[in-house]
Amino acid sequence: MSEEKSLNFIEEIIEADLAAGKHQSILTRFPPEPNGYLHIGHAKSICLNFGLALKYGGKTNLRFDDTNPVTEETEYVESIKHDVQWLGFQWANEFYASDYFHQLYAFAEKLIEKGMAYVDDSTSEEIAEQKGTPTTPGRRNQYADRSPAENLQLFRDMKAGKYPDGSKVLRAKVDMASPNMLLRDPILYRIKHAHHHRTGDEWCLYPMYDFAHGQSDSIEGITHSICTLEFVPHRALYDWLIEKLEIFPSKQYEFARLNMTYTVMSKRKLLQLVNEGYVEGWDDPRMPTISGMRRRGYTPKSIRDFCDRIGVAKRENMIDLSLLEFFVREDLNKTAQRRMAVLDPVKLEITNYPAGEFETLFSENNPEMPETGERLLHFGRELWIEREDFMEEPSKKWFRLAPGSVVRLKSAYIVRCTGYEKDEQGKLTKVLAEYIPESKSGSDTSGINVKGTIHWISAEHAVVAEVRLYDRLFKVEDPSSEEGDFKDYINADSLQIIEHAYIEPELLKAQLGEQFQFLRKGYFTLDSVHSTPNKLVFNRTVSLKDNWAKSAK
């Protein structure tokens, strides 16, 4: 009998709140800013917010924090919605911070009328200097002495577009001596004459994140506002604003964000990789973005299982990429169709098989799912095999092809190597063998015991495809912590393109989003960008085993 999984600290809070009658049901939210593509760290937040709501019979809102018109685009909104749904979740309501611009503005006027906010004409440099330091208190300037009536008029003039960008801000009147620097009269509104992706040119006055966030939570009735640890210092202002505005008391709780080895999570650094051409784009299969992982062939279930496994913690830690790859392999082993592909081909000639004749054989699509049936294979005199499956002078524990050795061809026959041919440069051009007619898979009466099995493809029926072998984007575990530019640690071998691989013709039926195990090679999927009906391009999702740990030693 398996032990029941213990509750994380957020679940403990929720269960206590429900038991005390504080809430009849819970309402969470996922509030991304639409200024880029989501990455695996966001996936953890998505799984947490939606997962908690599902566990406790609540709901989750998707709310776009679109308060900075300069960096936000509708393209990002659509990609975020696609990512959330692809991961397997559906929001109860789709909201935008811009939906609340009028309400937020009214909240700001309320603070002004109560003498808790004022318009400041200082420059950003002056404001920073007047805030003091963590060890010395700040000081208010003369603008803090403006009357509520004067502040209200100035604020309305700001809204009316009478002032240029940066000329005035609205600040909360909190505590200039607070040890929490964020409480030293924080900025609530700034002037930005910029076109907004939803409200157009209606506004030239936009709320800061700290003002829009908590109030949007309150407007929606969010019971548990879950953020990452960097928002711990922001919680005091979150609570102060809700208290002074006398609105629904949403509560903020913080958890450790996801940090993962051999990549970077900073949106700024990811943008550098895109803009400077180190990767193809946000959906490059080496990127930690959800769109990149989808293009690479990762499954929603593997990402959900990974997020569930790493859990929810209060301290930052580094998660090894190999753990995510473990869950990808575990899911694909159960679901991926088996196919054969030869990436570094050399000809195998079965000299005692009639030239020009072929027979049909059958091989299971997935031994983990017998209900998926079998597929047809063509077998003839000339086959393609992997170059690495032949060794002229075999080592002691070599169980593949070598002069005089026997090996089974997957789902076909046992063959005995009788020789090989090389070109003038000494490169292997052909392996010669004889097949044992009575050794056919499924009806073997040969009595020959073989220790090795290799894959193959009929040379006559093989289809040419491009195969892209992806590996870790960086060659060190934590590129952000290394000296110098993080881009100096990019793995030059993170992408290997094989332009002329051979695949079995059954793969002509492959569809985008399908995953395949290329026997002995790894898991692969059609590339959504480069693959066409006339040129199939397959991306390696992950190798069959974690070989990186060995090579890194």
Side-chain angles (χ1 to χ4, degrees), residues 296-320:
R296 185 161 175 167
Y298 285 19
T299 61
K301 184 178 186 305
S302 65
I303 295 175
R304 293 196 305 268
D305 288 348
F306 167 72
C307 292
D308 183 58
R309 170 64 178 80
I310 60 177
V312 180
K314 292 184 178 181
R315 291 185 179 180
E316 299 281 1
N317 61 343
M318 184 73 73
I319 303 298
D320 200 310

Side-chain angles (χ1 to χ4, degrees), residues 63 66 94-103 198-199:
R63 182 175 74 239
D66 57 345
E94 180 181 323
F95 293 132
Y96 297 78
S98 54
D99 292 336
Y100 311 131
F101 278 174
H102 288 281
Q103 181 67 67
R198 291 187 75 244
T199 60

Side-chain angles (χ1 to χ4, degrees), residues 346-414:
V346 69
K347 187 72 67 69
L348 173 65
E349 183 175 349
I350 313 296
T351 56
N352 63 335
Y353 197 93
E357 292 188 16
F358 300 93
E359 64 179 291
T360 54
L361 304 173
F362 293 90
S363 187
E364 55 196 351
N365 283 319
N366 187 336
E368 301 288 329
M369 301 173 65
E371 66 274 15
T372 58
E374 298 179 317
R375 69 190 187 283
L376 182 146
L377 301 172
H378 293 93
F379 185 85
R381 183 182 177 94
E382 293 191 333
L383 311 174
W384 292 114
I385 63 169
E386 292 288 352
R387 186 173 298 275
E388 66 179 11
D389 284 337
F390 174 81
M391 186 176 289
E392 185 178 346
E393 297 179 7
S395 57
K396 190 173 182 180
K397 293 187 177 181
W398 180 257
F399 300 126
R400 286 172 275 173
L401 285 170
S405 70
V406 292
V407 72
R408 176 170 291 283
L409 301 178
K410 173 68 177 174
S411 301
Y413 295 94
I414 295 173

Side-chain angles (χ1 to χ4, degrees), residues 484-511:
D485 191 330
F486 78 101
K487 298 188 295 295
D488 294 339
Y489 301 94
I490 287 178
N491 176 17
D493 299 320
S494 63
L495 171 59
Q496 177 189 356
I497 298 178
I498 300 171
E499 296 181 347
H500 200 96
Y502 289 116
I503 60 174
E504 60 176 88
E506 191 73 14
L507 282 165
L508 287 170
K509 303 175 185 176
Q511 300 293 314

Side-chain angles (χ1 to χ4, degrees), residues 270-279 282:
L270 293 175
L271 186 60
Q272 277 185 263
L273 294 175
V274 173
N275 289 343
E276 296 175 27
Y278 288 95
V279 293
W282 285 98

